[in-house]
């Protein structure tokens, strides 16, 4: 791998985040292979990418959606990642699933110089690094949703990540037109460690009957210039993801402010996950 840029990029997972990461990499000229777990998900991922790129072309953000799509292959076979210089994992926010995947990537990706990155929003990078034979080349590269729009990327080395891996990752991220910030390997990193307790306190305020969801959100939008309120934001993130990040933070710090409120747990159990299911703190047209 030339150390100025990663040419061959791999992405595992073609959901919202994975598709977004694949899109920005391909838009920046990288050759991208995306792996999904089965053909149905691969097809859904391809459709998602195509729709997003066609929107970008219609808005004049890219000259040709077809040219970008030509640089992306969505496959169902992990072995297709063997020749990649950098692989970003963007699967479900579950520690057991991610560690299993990093073991697999370590065995498949042939170049000893290749970087194995996780897009996790809350799982400590060290837990993923130590299951590989190359912990110096493992780190977090955490994008924000929607990936094509939001500029921020958190770069999270573990205690074992070497400096060159960090420098190469930063170059890659900047090459995508993104702005990296450096974070330490603590659950939640910078953004979620601040954002999740804020969202949870809004949920507790609503749960206690202190104020309506609309008034809580309107208060933050009009009184603190937030682009959207915390409950609408939780619906956008997904209440299942919000709860998973909260649990990861609570596990790490044992601070009460990170504990998911009972209402959040009940809503997740009921399948009321926010925008993606049509109902959370608000109701959406599916």
């Amino acid at each position: 791998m030339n150390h100025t840029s990663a040419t061959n990029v791999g992405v595992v997972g073609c959901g919202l985040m994975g598709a977004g990461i694949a899109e920005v990499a391909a838009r920046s000229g990288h050759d991208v292979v995306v792996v999904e777990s089965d053909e149905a998900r691969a097809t859904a991922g391809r459709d998602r990418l195509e729709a997003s790129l066609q929107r970008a072309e219609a808005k004049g953000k890219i000259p040709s959606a077809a040219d970008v799509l030509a640089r992306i292959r969505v496959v169902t076979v992990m072995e297709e990642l063997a020749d990649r210089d950098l692989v970003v994992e963007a699967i479900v926010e579950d520690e057991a699933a991610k560690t299993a995947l990093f073991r697999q990537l370590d065995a498949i990706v042939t170049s000893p110089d290749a970087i194995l990155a996780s897009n996790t929003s809350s799982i400590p990078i060290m837990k993923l690094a130590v299951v590989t034979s190359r912990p110096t080349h493992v780190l977090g590269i955490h994008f924000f949703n929607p990936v094509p729009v939001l500029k921020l990327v958190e770069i999270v080395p573990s205690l074992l990540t070497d400096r060159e891996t960090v420098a190469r990752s930063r170059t890659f991220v900047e090459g995508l037109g993104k702005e990296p910030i450096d974070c330490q390997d603590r659950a939640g990193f910078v953004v979620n460690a601040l954002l999740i307790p804020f969202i949870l306190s809004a949920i507790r305020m609503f749960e206690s009957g202190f104020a309506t969801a609309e008034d809580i959100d309107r208060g933050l939008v009009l009184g603190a210039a937030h682009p959207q309120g915390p409950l609408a934001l939780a619906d956008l993130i997904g209440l299942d993801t919000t709860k998973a990040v909260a649990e990861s933070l609570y596990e790490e710090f044992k601070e009460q402010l990170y504990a998911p409120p009972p209402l959040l747990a009940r809503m997740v159990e009921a399948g009321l996950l926010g925008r993606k299911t049509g109902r959370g703190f608000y109701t959406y047209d599916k």
Side-chain angles (χ1 to χ4, degrees), residues 137-150:
H137 285 65
V138 175
L139 82 171
I141 299 182
H142 179 223
F143 293 83
F144 287 78
N145 183 30
V147 179
V149 179
L150 293 185

Side-chain angles (χ1 to χ4, degrees), residues 29-201:
H30 296 285
D31 175 81
V32 183
V33 171
V34 191
V35 183
E36 252 304 356
S37 51
D38 57 50
E39 203 46 66
R41 288 185 178 172
T43 303
R46 275 186 212 103
D47 293 347
R48 177 178 273 135
L49 278 160
E50 203 167 324
S52 179
L53 286 163
Q54 282 165 353
R55 281 196 303 273
E57 184 184 332
K59 289 179 183 166
K61 291 184 178 167
I62 54 172
S64 161
D67 287 357
V68 178
L69 277 168
R71 288 194 283 273
I72 305 173
R73 280 186 300 135
V74 185
V75 301
T76 56
V77 183
M78 287 286 287
E79 281 64 27
E80 299 260 358
L81 297 172
D83 67 343
R84 301 289 100 181
D85 302 311
L86 183 149
V87 178
V88 183
E89 165 277 311
I91 65 167
V92 61
E93 193 67 358
D94 175 84
E95 193 182 313
K98 288 189 194 288
T99 47
L101 177 62
F102 269 77
R103 277 197 189 89
Q104 210 179 349
L105 289 174
D106 188 40
I108 288 168
V109 179
T110 47
S111 165
D113 260 355
I115 294 171
L116 304 182
S118 176
N119 183 57
T120 179
S121 47
S122 63
I123 292 164
I125 301 303
M126 186 62 83
K127 294 185 173 185
L128 308 177
V130 294
V131 303
T132 74
S133 63
R134 53 179 111 186
T136 54
H137 285 65
V138 175
L139 82 171
I141 299 182
H142 179 223
F143 293 83
F144 287 78
N145 183 30
V147 179
V149 179
L150 293 185
K151 286 278 192 202
L152 183 71
V153 176
E154 292 178 322
I155 292 188
V156 192
S158 83
L159 293 171
L160 300 176
T161 310
D162 68 26
R163 276 188 187 161
E164 195 187 359
T165 298
V166 175
R168 281 163 59 199
S169 300
R170 183 173 261 278
T171 301
F172 167 69
V173 164
E174 287 168 345
L176 303 179
K178 301 295 184 195
E179 296 195 21
I181 60 172
D182 297 316
C183 306
Q184 292 195 20
D185 187 18
R186 305 277 184 281
F189 315 135
V190 169
V191 175
N192 280 314
L194 294 169
L195 182 63
I196 295 295
F198 166 64
I199 291 175
L200 297 180
S201 67

Side-chain angles (χ1 to χ4, degrees), residues 122 196 200 241-252 257-261 264:
S122 63
I196 295 295
L200 297 180
T241 305
T242 302
K243 178 173 173 273
V245 179
E247 285 169 342
S248 182
L249 285 161
Y250 186 71
E251 177 64 27
E252 176 100 76
L257 80 164
Y258 296 122
L264 178 61

